[in-house]
Amino acid sequence: MALLRKVNQALLFLLIVAVCGILYKKARRAAVSSSEADEGSEPPEDVDEEIPVVICAAAGRMGATMAAINSIYSNTDANIVFYVVGLRNTLSRIRKWIEHSKLREINFKIVEFNPTVLEGKIRPDSPRPELLQPLNFVRFYLPLLIHRHEKVIYLDDDVIVQGDIQELYDTTLSLGHAAAFSGDCDLPAAQDFSRLVGLQNTYMGFLDYRKKAIKDLGISPSTCSFNPGVMVANMTEWRQQRITKQLEKWMQRNVEENLYSSSLGGGVATSPMLIVFHGRHSTINPLWHIRHLGWSPDARYPGRFLQEAKLLHWDGQHKPWRSPGAHTGLWESWFVPDPAGIFKLSHDS
């Protein structure tokens, strides 16, 4: 009898536990349903896709970088993350300039570029020594510097963006293409400007066609060139096609055979890209790369044409932060003063 009583007590206890479990689950479901109803009434905001923009900040040209960033950030509502690339001795100054100026609100990451990767790959005899600066080759190593993005925009520092950078980011890259550029023959007004200042816009201006290695490429010297100062890149294709290795191969061949560094264009960083991407790149809307503004202080684009331009590029030796320069007012309107007082415009010096 005592044993039966204990069995009944045990069964009663198990029944109570079971009932409590059922009640708990019902209460839990009710709470979850209530929570889901609340979330449904006020759906969370969608997080916009990040648009990564890579731009270099060299010690003597940092003001250009900040002006470019300011123009991009001011002309878009897109979710931009700026990857500002510099050498080790400039990183703290880059951060100070951004954090102690009107740029403090931007989303940015500072990336160090190690110039030792260029050892043995650059000839020292370019007709334009400024083109030998290590940061000119950052675009060759994008997948090593930027890891978590499928698509990346690279911009030279001497640009001003007047359009919405989202449009540039939305550039369609054809299947199998690792990058998109704007061709040097795409826009009639730009061609007229090029002829006026005596610029080369074909492969002949960058490669030495007297050399067998260049002839063996089978590329016509009259082929229209492109300027890699504005680029939209697909990082997956870049890695799979081993673009960086291909570029390094041509850099090393130039060291040994002098294939392009003494050519008319002097394009130490442009020439290997012309070779590697020949016939294998997509096209950027020409208005997203109006260039050659720095080749002559006298030659000028029509004002209406400049207003329609989405991006202006002062490639060449006459930079808008120095005198003399062309269309300097367009650039200076985006200039962000240096908090440290080191970088100054030429007319303020």
Side-chain angles (χ1 to χ4, degrees), residues 64-85:
T65 304
M66 303 306 165
I69 291 174
N70 185 29
S71 69
I72 296 167
Y73 183 71
S74 300
N75 286 308
T76 186
D77 292 325
N79 183 20
I80 310 295
V81 54
F82 293 96
Y83 288 86
V84 188
V85 186

Side-chain angles (χ1 to χ4, degrees), residues 120-154:
K121 301 183 182 72
I122 303 175
R123 293 179 62 92
D125 58 350
S126 169
R128 293 178 59 193
E130 73 274 13
L131 297 179
L132 300 177
Q133 297 302 315
L135 294 182
N136 282 327
F137 301 91
V138 161
R139 71 199 91 185
F140 289 18
Y141 297 94
L142 290 178
L144 302 180
L145 300 170
I146 312 300
H147 303 290
R148 66 187 189 90
H149 298 283
E150 169 72 11
K151 195 175 186 182
V152 171
I153 294 173
Y154 169 86

Side-chain angles (χ1 to χ4, degrees), residues 29-198:
R29 276 198 297 269
V32 171
S33 298
S34 176
S35 175
E36 290 175 347
D38 291 342
E39 290 176 1
S41 61
E42 294 185 12
E45 293 184 5
D46 292 332
V47 177
D48 292 337
E49 179 183 14
E50 279 188 342
I51 297 180
V53 175
V54 179
I55 188 166
C56 297
R61 300 164 58 112
M62 211 169 286
T65 304
M66 303 306 165
I69 291 174
N70 185 29
S71 69
I72 296 167
Y73 183 71
S74 300
N75 286 308
T76 186
D77 292 325
N79 183 20
I80 310 295
V81 54
F82 293 96
Y83 288 86
V84 188
V85 186
L87 302 181
R88 177 171 296 180
N89 62 349
T90 65
L91 303 184
S92 61
R93 186 178 167 210
I94 294 170
R95 182 174 298 279
K96 180 178 179 181
W97 198 322
I98 293 174
E99 293 182 345
H100 293 81
S101 71
K102 64 185 295 184
L103 300 178
R104 65 178 64 90
E105 300 298 327
I106 70 170
N107 181 12
F108 72 100
K109 301 179 187 298
I110 296 177
V111 181
E112 179 183 354
F113 181 67
N114 187 346
T116 59
V117 298
L118 301 174
E119 291 179 359
K121 301 183 182 72
I122 303 175
R123 293 179 62 92
D125 58 350
S126 169
R128 293 178 59 193
E130 73 274 13
L131 297 179
L132 300 177
Q133 297 302 315
L135 294 182
N136 282 327
F137 301 91
V138 161
R139 71 199 91 185
F140 289 18
Y141 297 94
L142 290 178
L144 302 180
L145 300 170
I146 312 300
H147 303 290
R148 66 187 189 90
H149 298 283
E150 169 72 11
K151 195 175 186 182
V152 171
I153 294 173
Y154 169 86
L155 299 176
D156 277 354
D157 60 3
D158 50 357
V159 306
I160 289 297
V161 173
Q162 300 185 137
D164 186 340
I165 200 74
Q166 179 78 55
E167 295 179 22
L168 181 59
Y169 185 75
D170 289 340
T171 297
T172 300
L173 274 68
S174 299
L175 184 66
H177 286 177
F181 311 96
S182 184
D184 285 331
C185 305
D186 288 348
L187 208 57
Q191 291 186 55
D192 294 340
F193 188 91
S194 298
R195 284 192 288 269
L196 184 62
V197 298

Side-chain angles (χ1 to χ4, degrees), residues 6-19:
K6 289 182 178 180
V7 171
N8 289 336
Q9 289 175 347
L11 291 174
L12 180 61
F13 175 76
L14 292 174
L15 180 61
I16 293 172
V17 170
V19 171

Side-chain angles (χ1 to χ4, degrees), residues 293-305:
L293 276 73
W295 279 91
S296 170
D298 301 317
R300 294 177 176 272
Y301 281 114
R304 183 175 178 180
F305 179 72

